[in-house]
Amino acid sequence: MIVRTQTAQFEELPLDCGETLRAVEVAYETYGALDADKSNAVVVLHAFSGDAHAAGISEEDGKPGWWDNMIGPGKAFDTNRYFVICSNCLGGCGGTTGPSSIRPDTGRPYGSSFPYVTIADMVRLQKQLTDSFGIERLLSVAGGSMGAIQALQWVVDYPEAVASAIPIAGTHRHSAQQIAFNEVGRQAIMADPDWENGDYYEGAGPSRGLAVARMVGHITYMSDDSMREKFGRRRREPEPHSSGAFEVESYLRYRGGQFVSRFDANSYLVITRAMDSFDATQGFSSIGEAIGRTEARFLVLSFTSDWLYPSYQSQETVRALRSRNLDVAYVEIPSNYGHDAFLIEVGEQTELIKSFLENTYKRLPLPASQMGA
Amino acid sequence: MIVRTQTAQFEELPLDCGETLRAVEVAYETYGALDADKSNAVVVLHAFSGDAHAAGISEEDGKPGWWDNMIGPGKAFDTNRYFVICSNCLGGCGGTTGPSSIRPDTGRPYGSSFPYVTIADMVRLQKQLTDSFGIERLLSVAGGSMGAIQALQWVVDYPEAVASAIPIAGTHRHSAQQIAFNEVGRQAIMADPDWENGDYYEGAGPSRGLAVARMVGHITYMSDDSMREKFGRRRREPEPHSSGAFEVESYLRYRGGQFVSRFDANSYLVITRAMDSFDATQGFSSIGEAIGRTEARFLVLSFTSDWLYPSYQSQETVRALRSRNLDVAYVEIPSNYGHDAFLIEVGEQTELIKSFLENTYKRLPLPASQMGA
């Protein structure tokens, strides 16, 4: 399945901060076909550093999508049955308007003038995209990590527009520890003199700071056990008295350096701030009230060894949903892979998501076109 | 108790790397009085960023020592009974020879020419110090975190010179995850252009990189729970759409900035590399053989919420010691404070350490002076 990222443009996007973005572009991909009654659409939401290329082989660079093992014919998100949409998030650097995009009114990159955006802003833009397809109600919104956060925001903001949600390895708000890890990454970027307060697009850019930020991230995505299995104390250099010789060190440096070539430091700042500021309870008396004003069904997943988004956070969300008598399935999947598990543990996720989507689809009210038949 | 850090000088210190350091200085403090038969000496070993000022009030700056709640008359390390010695570690920046010290042969700071040192080198220097007091056998070696690591190294290198050891919240070798967190700190420092490959003493120095490194450290020293209790999602600025407004963020930035004023970035590199490279099993067929060639008694402590030095690591050490039929007490202390607990949980530690030292002292063979009586 060769795929190509497409771009939609919207005249304006009002933001929570009060500003309005003009000529907003959204990079997206779709897989499968939209039914005539538009009842089979699933929005898949990427994690912090993901992009619109969720599945298939990119026409551009030949690489598989970040959830290619989960989206496709016969897979968890079965593209023989469902129409799957994935778009790069607002503030990102994968084709959707973000700090590195050209400002229509100045002809130069936004840089430091890019406004403060929220998860709700990201979801508002996704809604514009699904509206443009004429989709009134999504069969599901699904994603891991920041994808889970966005799925919950969908439910809060558009409770009638989703028939189900699948938040995986997420939370309805960040803990102090989650904010702290993100802040270290931000400080690493802003400590780099090449950051230039965000207006670095004509210069070198804060590549060293961004690499350090990514290294912190990588540690939090893995588990203690999976790092032990993958690296242990193996050294790349046999000499015991040379430093920097552990395999885990060169792996982190490699991944940090690799990240710099594909990600924008200002997007790192903008997106992590949106994640930290996300709090589904904001404006409501409880989390139950916030995410419970819907008839959507939920499948909530977490992983035993995920210490960045620990299971207790998913369990809090589940309790809140159940207190509203909503239809919620929750599974804590045994895995050694830490937070990365949502990208790796394909087997059990596939089984759960496949039957959940089938059941959700079966329970949909008959579309208007079939009501008269 | 007003105390003053003293300095001892030793002509030379041979290092594991093959080099020899000349005119090595050691900053140290002592508390209590050494018995006539020199049987009541306890070496207390500081953690990564600690120094010789373990107890009492510093004559210089009026600050209490880092373990002042544990060392003093009637305390865990009862200075009415024991003679307690604490020295700044080799490679440090608290008065003992380290990268910021002046090289005797050049009259300039070592900087990048400071040799690669190991935990065994640190302990070798401590042995020179205790030898200079005429102490043949220590009643105990005790410390948390890197202090625990050094205590184990003492047992490996001088199995007859210690009557007991108290490794707290430590390990006999770093895991991949522990190495990884240290490596992020090192990369943050080395990414700072003011690091100048280690020869920055006439310049600004890598203060931004060092602050970021310390921020990572602080997160790992606390638990998810203790961060939630201390900061939660409280903001310093009420405006929900301003960034960087969470209390946990300003706390980390404050602590990072504070650290820069008291710690040397090259010492950060040198000491973390020594910790990562430490492996008590090196040169032995098993950890039991390495730390079990002693008649010393052990009190091993860990803390339930410590995820940087998790209890399973202490338990591995305990199993190895027990397999050699050594006298080992192990307690996993319930605490919410994460790795910092060894500095905070005074009550239970005091009870355990106090009776352990008393028992160790009682079992000492009678000194030669009393043998004829």
Side-chain angles (χ1 to χ4, degrees):
Chain A
M1 181 166 68
I2 304 293
V3 297
R4 181 181 201 163
T5 305
Q6 302 178 70
T7 307
Q9 201 183 55
F10 299 98
E11 268 181 46
E12 52 180 42
L13 178 73
L15 302 174
D16 282 348
C17 66
E19 292 184 43
T20 297
L21 277 174
R22 312 279 165 193
V24 180
E25 298 202 321
V26 186
Y28 71 97
E29 293 187 4
T30 67
Y31 321 102
L34 187 58
D35 276 356
D37 57 17
K38 302 185 176 181
S39 63
N40 71 334
V42 174
V43 164
V44 159
L45 302 148
H46 67 73
F48 162 64
S49 68
D51 55 27
H53 181 41
I57 301 301
S58 163
E59 188 190 66
E60 200 189 340
D61 62 15
K63 288 187 180 152
W66 55 267
W67 229 7
D68 187 53
N69 51 19
M70 294 284 287
I71 304 168
K75 297 183 182 174
F77 299 92
D78 185 349
T79 50
N80 290 332
R81 311 181 63 162
Y82 310 118
F83 176 65
V84 177
I85 311 167
C86 181
S87 63
N88 182 220
C89 72
L90 180 69
C93 47
T96 294
T97 297
S100 59
S101 303
I102 300 298
R103 262 185 92 124
D105 55 346
T106 66
R108 300 159 62 89
Y110 282 94
S112 62
S113 76
F114 193 77
Y116 178 80
V117 302
T118 64
I119 298 291
D121 294 329
M122 294 179 185
V123 167
R124 193 173 301 120
L125 182 57
Q126 289 156 12
K127 184 69 163 60
Q128 291 194 1
L129 180 65
T130 58
D131 284 351
S132 75
F133 284 98
I135 300 163
E136 283 182 16
R137 191 164 61 165
L138 295 164
L139 179 66
S140 201
V141 287
S145 198
M146 189 176 82
I149 286 173
Q150 293 171 83
L152 292 176
Q153 187 76 58
W154 262 95
V155 174
V156 172
D157 290 348
Y158 308 106
E160 325 240 301
V162 289
S164 74
I166 310 176
I168 305 172
T171 179
H172 61 261
R173 61 179 166 204
H174 269 184
S175 67
Q177 192 186 60
Q178 287 164 324
I179 296 170
F181 276 118
N182 278 343
E183 175 65 3
V184 167
R186 289 189 289 263
Q187 289 296 322
I189 290 167
M190 296 189 293
D192 189 325
D194 290 331
W195 178 57
E196 308 264 15
N197 291 311
D199 295 312
Y200 53 75
Y201 294 105
E202 288 171 16
S207 54
R208 287 161 303 183
L210 181 59
V212 170
R214 186 57 170 180
M215 290 174 65
V216 181
H218 265 294
I219 302 175
T220 64
Y221 303 154
M222 298 179 79
S223 72
D224 183 19
D225 265 0
S226 64
M227 291 191 95
R228 177 174 299 104
E229 278 173 25
K230 191 162 181 174
F231 311 109
R233 290 181 53 82
R234 280 190 304 280
R235 289 170 181 270
R236 288 176 70 88
E237 298 166 41
E239 167 58 49
H241 299 309
S242 69
S243 58
F246 289 102
E247 272 190 17
V248 65
E249 296 175 313
S250 42
Y251 172 81
L252 287 176
R253 289 194 298 267
Y254 170 73
R255 294 299 294 262
Q258 200 188 33
F259 186 64
V260 166
S261 67
R262 72 171 179 90
F263 210 79
D264 176 53
N266 280 335
S267 286
Y268 195 109
L269 303 177
V270 164
I271 297 173
T272 58
R273 281 173 180 148
M275 291 169 77
D276 288 344
S277 123
F278 168 74
D279 179 354
T281 65
Q282 214 163 17
F284 298 94
S285 64
S286 70
I287 176 62
E289 199 204 324
I291 56 182
R293 297 165 311 125
T294 181
E295 289 177 18
R297 308 174 70 226
F298 289 81
L299 172 63
V300 181
L301 302 179
S302 69
F303 300 91
T304 49
S305 61
D306 183 351
W307 59 276
L308 182 61
Y309 287 83
S311 287
Y312 77 78
Q313 291 189 322
S314 289
Q315 288 158 7
E316 281 170 8
T317 305
V318 168
R319 276 196 301 277
L321 292 166
R322 289 201 175 134
S323 74
R324 308 285 291 198
N325 289 314
L326 287 166
D327 179 357
V328 188
Y330 167 63
V331 180
E332 186 184 25
I333 298 176
S335 172
N336 211 17
Y337 288 111
H339 187 56
D340 272 343
F342 79 93
L343 296 168
I344 300 169
E345 296 288 359
V346 174
E348 199 155 348
Q349 285 190 104
T350 296
E351 211 172 314
L352 290 162
I353 291 172
K354 217 168 175 175
S355 68
F356 177 79
L357 288 177
E358 275 170 27
N359 275 317
T360 305
Y361 193 76
K362 270 188 217 156
R363 292 174 194 205
L364 287 181
L366 283 178
S369 59
Q370 287 171 43
M371 290 287 272
Chain B
M1 180 167 71
I2 304 295
V3 297
R4 181 182 201 162
T5 305
Q6 302 176 69
T7 306
Q9 202 184 54
F10 300 98
E11 267 181 45
E12 52 180 44
L13 178 74
L15 302 174
D16 283 349
C17 66
E19 293 186 42
T20 296
L21 277 174
R22 312 280 168 193
V24 180
E25 298 204 320
V26 186
Y28 71 96
E29 293 187 5
T30 68
Y31 322 102
L34 187 59
D35 277 355
D37 58 15
K38 303 186 174 179
S39 64
N40 70 335
V42 174
V43 163
V44 158
L45 302 148
H46 68 73
F48 162 64
S49 69
D51 55 26
H53 181 41
I57 302 300
S58 162
E59 188 190 66
E60 202 190 335
D61 62 13
K63 289 187 180 154
W66 55 267
W67 230 7
D68 187 54
N69 51 19
M70 294 283 289
I71 303 168
K75 296 181 182 175
F77 299 92
D78 186 349
T79 51
N80 290 331
R81 311 181 63 161
Y82 311 118
F83 177 64
V84 177
I85 311 167
C86 181
S87 63
N88 183 222
C89 73
L90 180 69
C93 48
T96 294
T97 297
S100 58
S101 303
I102 300 299
R103 263 186 91 122
D105 55 348
T106 65
R108 300 160 62 90
Y110 282 95
S112 62
S113 75
F114 193 77
Y116 179 78
V117 302
T118 64
I119 298 291
D121 294 329
M122 294 179 187
V123 167
R124 194 173 300 119
L125 182 57
Q126 290 157 12
K127 185 68 163 58
Q128 291 195 0
L129 180 65
T130 59
D131 283 350
S132 75
F133 283 99
I135 300 164
E136 283 181 17
R137 190 164 62 164
L138 294 164
L139 179 66
S140 201
V141 288
S145 198
M146 189 177 81
I149 286 172
Q150 293 171 83
L152 292 176
Q153 188 75 59
W154 263 94
V155 174
V156 172
D157 290 348
Y158 308 105
E160 325 242 300
V162 289
S164 74
I166 310 177
I168 305 173
T171 179
H172 61 260
R173 60 180 167 203
H174 268 184
S175 67
Q177 192 186 62
Q178 288 164 324
I179 296 170
F181 276 118
N182 278 343
E183 175 65 2
V184 168
R186 289 189 289 262
Q187 289 297 322
I189 289 167
M190 296 188 293
D192 189 327
D194 290 330
W195 177 57
E196 308 265 14
N197 290 311
D199 295 312
Y200 53 75
Y201 294 106
E202 288 172 15
S207 55
R208 286 161 304 183
L210 181 59
V212 169
R214 185 57 168 179
M215 291 173 63
V216 181
H218 265 295
I219 302 175
T220 64
Y221 302 153
M222 299 180 78
S223 71
D224 183 18
D225 264 1
S226 64
M227 291 191 95
R228 179 175 298 104
E229 279 173 25
K230 192 163 179 174
F231 311 109
R233 291 182 51 84
R234 280 190 304 281
R235 289 172 182 267
R236 287 175 69 88
E237 297 166 41
E239 168 57 48
H241 299 310
S242 68
S243 59
F246 288 101
E247 273 191 15
V248 65
E249 297 175 313
S250 41
Y251 171 82
L252 288 176
R253 289 194 298 267
Y254 170 74
R255 295 300 293 264
Q258 200 188 34
F259 186 64
V260 166
S261 66
R262 72 172 180 88
F263 211 81
D264 177 53
N266 280 335
S267 286
Y268 195 109
L269 303 178
V270 164
I271 298 173
T272 59
R273 281 173 181 148
M275 291 170 76
D276 289 344
S277 125
F278 169 75
D279 179 352
T281 65
Q282 212 163 18
F284 298 93
S285 65
S286 70
I287 176 63
E289 199 204 326
I291 57 181
R293 299 164 310 125
T294 181
E295 290 178 15
R297 309 173 69 226
F298 288 82
L299 172 63
V300 180
L301 303 178
S302 69
F303 300 92
T304 48
S305 60
D306 184 351
W307 59 275
L308 182 61
Y309 288 83
S311 287
Y312 76 79
Q313 292 189 320
S314 289
Q315 287 157 9
E316 281 170 9
T317 306
V318 168
R319 275 197 301 277
L321 292 166
R322 288 201 174 133
S323 74
R324 306 286 291 198
N325 288 315
L326 285 165
D327 179 357
V328 188
Y330 167 63
V331 180
E332 185 184 25
I333 298 177
S335 173
N336 212 16
Y337 288 111
H339 188 57
D340 273 342
F342 79 94
L343 296 168
I344 299 170
E345 297 288 359
V346 174
E348 200 156 349
Q349 284 190 104
T350 296
E351 212 172 313
L352 291 162
I353 291 172
K354 216 168 177 175
S355 66
F356 177 78
L357 288 177
E358 275 170 27
N359 277 318
T360 305
Y361 193 75
K362 270 187 215 155
R363 293 172 194 208
L364 286 183
L366 282 177
S369 58
Q370 289 170 40
M371 290 290 269

